[in-house]
Amino acid sequence: VQLQASGGGLVQAGGSLRLSCAASGRTSNSYHMAWFRLGPGKEREFVAGIRRSGGNRYYADSVKGRFTISRDNAKNTVYLQMNSLKPEDTAVYYCAAGGGIIVTSVTSEYAYNYWGQGTQVTVSS
């Protein structure tokens, strides 16, 4: 499966962006999906994850209440709605897909087999 992330950009603190991740090849509903991010001087970190069916969603503590992950399996697309953005949200955001991920591994980058190219999100203060 190939993943194409889009929707990044420059926004002021308090603003919103919606990222999209379009999957091609094997349909995305075969995979659990997630968003990770790599900020300047930081290690790549889990942001949000969603199970195949879309029924269970997971969030990093730093984004709970501000970010929402969703998926449209008919469109093979996963979204990340980001509200109340902060300068510390500045990062390259990557979408990822994986099959057979147990719940305890949802936040681990090593559980995901496929990665998109990343989209830059910059939040100015």
Side-chain angles (χ1 to χ4, degrees):
V1 62
Q2 292 78 44
L3 304 175
Q4 180 73 40
S6 61
L10 173 63
V11 64
Q12 288 188 332
S16 299
L17 284 174
R18 188 175 82 154
L19 305 183
S20 299
C21 176
S24 59
R26 190 172 179 183
T27 54
S28 66
N29 61 4
S30 299
Y31 298 97
H32 307 298
M33 303 291 292
W35 288 94
F36 288 77
R37 66 187 182 186
L38 180 61
K42 300 179 181 179
E43 296 184 349
R44 187 157 58 183
E45 62 175 350
F46 171 82
V47 176
I50 187 167
R51 305 294 276 177
R52 285 191 187 92
S53 65
N56 290 338
R57 309 178 193 197
Y58 309 87
Y59 297 95
D61 288 342
S62 58
V63 306
K64 278 181 183 175
R66 300 188 298 122
F67 291 11
T68 302
I69 188 171
S70 62
R71 67 190 298 162
D72 185 338
N73 286 339
K75 295 183 178 180
N76 288 333
T77 301
V78 174
Y79 304 97
L80 184 68
Q81 178 66 45
M82 305 186 295
N83 298 329
S84 301
L85 282 161
K86 303 175 181 179
E88 51 263 44
D89 294 319
T90 294
V92 178
Y93 284 70
Y94 298 89
C95 60
I101 299 174
I102 60 176
V103 171
T104 54
S105 297
V106 167
T107 62
S108 171
E109 62 180 308
Y110 301 106
Y112 297 86
N113 308 106
Y114 305 99
W115 292 82
Q117 85 289 2
T119 185
Q120 175 71 47
V121 171
T122 302
V123 184
S124 63
S125 57

